[in-house]
Amino acid sequence: HGPVEEGDCIACHRPHSSENPSLLIATPDGGALCFECHEDRKEEFTMEYLHAPAEDSCADCHDPHSADAEYMLKESGGALCAMCHEDATPEIYTALNNAKIKHPPVSDGQCTKCNRPHSSNYESLLNESLENLCLTCHVDLGDIIAESKSRHGPVATGDCVACHNVHGSEYAKLL
């Protein structure tokens, strides 16, 4: 973190006293402390669905003093998400651990290929609508669907997860 590298502790901490824990200049709740410097990131937290840790404190995922992972994250990629989600959404990790076939972004620990880390206008913090999200990578399938006269019910409504387990499955094509 820049201020730590420069020995500029007072960028975040008061030297003598504070109303906040750890002599912080602002409350860590809801990112208020971080927004003192990172005002340009504030918009990322204003969408309809807010990730619970982002609502709580940036320090749930980011280490404000030092970290080996990019963006001062406590862990890299999927390992960061697993810190909470193994307990918060055990059905996903059960499916992953038992899956014979894993969705490549998941097996590669790239949760943010499909999910936003802070907030989203789509449920499950998806990057965009489910149909558009899937067709971002499955472009050829999108072309086939667009040219088709008849569409399977879930395809017509953009509900890919009606048939596919997006994290992993024991069946081909993540069915």
Side-chain angles (χ1 to χ4, degrees):
H1 196 212
V4 174
E5 271 184 35
E6 296 170 14
D8 188 15
C9 302
I10 59 173
C12 300
H13 299 274
R14 299 223 181 273
H16 303 108
S17 65
S18 174
E19 306 255 330
N20 301 299
S22 302
L23 300 175
L24 293 172
I25 62 170
T27 179
D29 299 344
L33 173 66
C34 300
F35 292 139
E36 291 285 320
C37 293
H38 300 282
E39 175 103 14
D40 60 318
R41 305 300 298 271
K42 216 172 193 175
E43 191 175 311
E44 289 178 44
F45 299 82
T46 61
M47 296 177 199
E48 184 176 352
Y49 301 96
L50 187 61
H51 195 199
E55 209 168 358
D56 183 30
S57 169
C58 299
D60 287 353
C61 298
H62 300 272
D63 185 325
H65 295 109
S66 69
D68 292 330
E70 192 175 24
Y71 305 116
M72 305 295 295
L73 293 171
K74 291 182 175 181
E75 294 284 344
S76 295
L80 176 73
C81 302
M83 286 174 28
C84 295
H85 283 277
E86 281 183 325
D87 292 330
T89 54
E91 66 282 357
I92 290 174
Y93 284 87
T94 299
L96 282 175
N97 293 333
N98 297 326
K100 291 178 185 164
I101 300 164
K102 296 180 182 178
H103 197 205
V106 177
S107 61
D108 295 344
Q110 297 177 326
C111 303
T112 56
K113 285 275 186 186
C114 300
N115 304 96
R116 295 175 58 90
H118 301 123
S119 73
S120 174
N121 286 322
Y122 304 98
E123 288 188 44
S124 300
L125 298 174
L126 295 178
N127 288 334
E128 54 185 300
S129 71
L130 186 60
E131 177 183 28
N132 289 339
L133 179 63
C134 296
L135 297 178
T136 299
C137 293
H138 302 282
V139 176
D140 293 344
L141 180 59
D143 293 341
I144 292 168
I145 292 169
E147 295 167 6
S148 298
K149 291 182 183 178
S150 300
R151 295 182 184 153
H152 180 63
V155 174
T157 61
D159 188 12
C160 304
V161 298
C163 300
H164 301 277
N165 183 329
V166 295
H167 296 102
S169 175
E170 59 183 286
Y171 304 108
K173 308 290 185 190
L174 299 175
L175 295 171

